[in-house]
Amino acid sequence: MQVRVLGCSGAIAKDCRTTSFLVDTDLLVDAGTGVGDLTLDEMAGIDDVVLTHCHLDHIAALPLMLDAVGNRRTRPLRVHALSATIEALRAHVFNNVIWPDFESIPSAQAPFVSFHDITVGQTLQLGSAVPKRIEVLPAVHTVPACGFAVSRAEGGAHWVFSGDTERNAPFWDRVNALDVAMLVIETAFSNREQALADRSLHLSPKVLADELAHIEPGKHYPIYITHTKPAETEEIMSQIDALVGHQVAGLAKRDIRWLKADGVLTF
């Protein structure tokens, strides 16, 4: 299996696209602005979208993608999300004001999109060419949110994505029980912006160190940092490197990398 990094930035700027990952060719994890780099054929080949939460940087391309390829599909695009996320999409995006209600276009019997509730702890079986198992993980954010652990349906190592989250002990309880191939975890703000990170329920490097200290001894896998604000990316990574260099608990001896768009992760 492979994960194509379409977008991994916390905001937009030149060469910065917001959160979206394409797993194999048919599963989209979040639908940020990075989706816009896909061809029409690639977008039309996506059968399922799983969303971590309703914030704009994670759903911005969903309505535009549906408009681009809806009439090229033979069945609705299935969007899987927490009930609160679906309610927000219906109320604030697909409301015939901001964007057409694609649940009833071209008809209620054959719409462009269908929404499917998920809950934390649930496991989904999605994918046709390469069947996938997606477990819904807990997240702590300003709106109802979740993360995901993705593996082959028949078992094996997991690609784990934290989603947008702050301190989150239940997440680590579950992750420590999984065979993890790699972890993608957000660190949106530098330590200088700690007050803003606390208010917006995002991680900073020093809180990241506290969180990674929850990883059980003996477990080692690459850790990719995502969702950095473009204006702070270099500062954030410098602060993480400094903590690693000082052997701070949680970051000592960890394989920590900066996630970059256009990369491909294989597991």
Side-chain angles (χ1 to χ4, degrees):
M1 293 177 66
Q2 69 175 26
V3 177
R4 181 175 165 188
V5 183
L6 304 178
C8 55
S9 178
I12 60 168
K14 181 177 173 56
D15 298 325
C16 294
R17 299 160 183 82
T18 65
T19 304
S20 49
F21 303 94
L22 183 63
V23 183
D24 293 332
T25 60
D26 55 354
L27 173 66
L28 190 66
V29 178
D30 278 345
T33 61
V35 175
D37 286 342
L38 295 175
T39 67
L40 288 173
D41 286 343
E42 287 172 328
M43 285 190 281
I46 296 168
D47 291 324
D48 294 279
V49 180
V50 292
L51 298 176
T52 57
H53 63 296
C54 64
H55 280 161
L56 186 61
D57 54 326
H58 295 256
I59 59 97
L62 179 61
L64 297 169
M65 181 176 73
L66 284 167
D67 193 35
V69 299
N71 62 1
R72 298 181 58 162
R73 297 182 51 80
T74 59
R75 58 184 182 273
L77 176 70
R78 296 182 294 261
V79 175
H80 310 265
L82 300 174
S83 60
T85 300
I86 294 172
E87 289 172 8
L89 288 170
R90 285 173 170 156
H92 304 296
V93 179
F94 299 104
N95 58 5
N96 287 321
V97 177
I98 299 299
W99 208 247
D101 174 13
F102 281 136
E103 277 191 287
S104 61
I105 294 174
S107 71
Q109 293 72 37
F112 282 169
V113 66
S114 62
F115 293 114
H116 306 268
D117 287 0
I118 60 175
T119 57
V120 171
Q122 181 179 355
T123 297
L124 310 174
Q125 299 285 340
L126 303 175
S128 51
V130 180
K132 288 168 274 290
R133 179 182 183 274
I134 300 95
E135 181 173 341
V136 186
L137 302 175
V140 177
H141 201 36
T142 55
V143 295
C146 62
F148 297 109
V150 181
S151 66
R152 292 181 181 272
E154 67 268 22
H158 296 74
W159 174 76
V160 177
F161 175 43
S162 71
D164 284 12
T165 191
E166 216 252 2
R167 297 168 179 87
N168 187 4
F171 173 83
W172 299 109
D173 290 342
R174 183 56 191 146
V175 168
N176 282 329
L178 297 174
D179 177 9
V180 178
M182 63 193 72
L183 167 66
V184 175
I185 186 167
E186 70 115 293
T187 309
F189 294 99
S190 67
N191 292 331
R192 177 173 50 83
E193 297 281 9
Q194 186 61 56
L196 184 55
D198 290 341
R199 179 177 178 179
S200 59
L201 296 182
H202 281 291
L203 298 179
S204 65
K206 66 181 181 182
V207 180
L208 172 72
D210 293 340
E211 287 298 280
L212 295 184
H214 288 281
I215 298 174
E216 287 184 348
K219 288 184 175 288
H220 297 282
Y221 41 79
I223 297 167
Y224 291 89
I225 305 302
T226 189
H227 207 284
T228 58
K229 300 298 182 183
E232 293 191 76
T233 295
E234 291 186 6
E235 183 178 1
I236 290 167
M237 296 311 298
S238 176
Q239 289 173 350
I240 290 174
D241 288 343
L243 291 170
V244 172
H246 285 89
Q247 298 290 292
V248 171
L251 296 183
K253 299 181 180 179
R254 294 290 174 196
D255 179 5
I256 298 179
R257 311 174 188 182
W258 175 30
L259 195 66
K260 297 182 180 181
D262 297 328
V264 176
L265 309 175
T266 303
F267 66 104

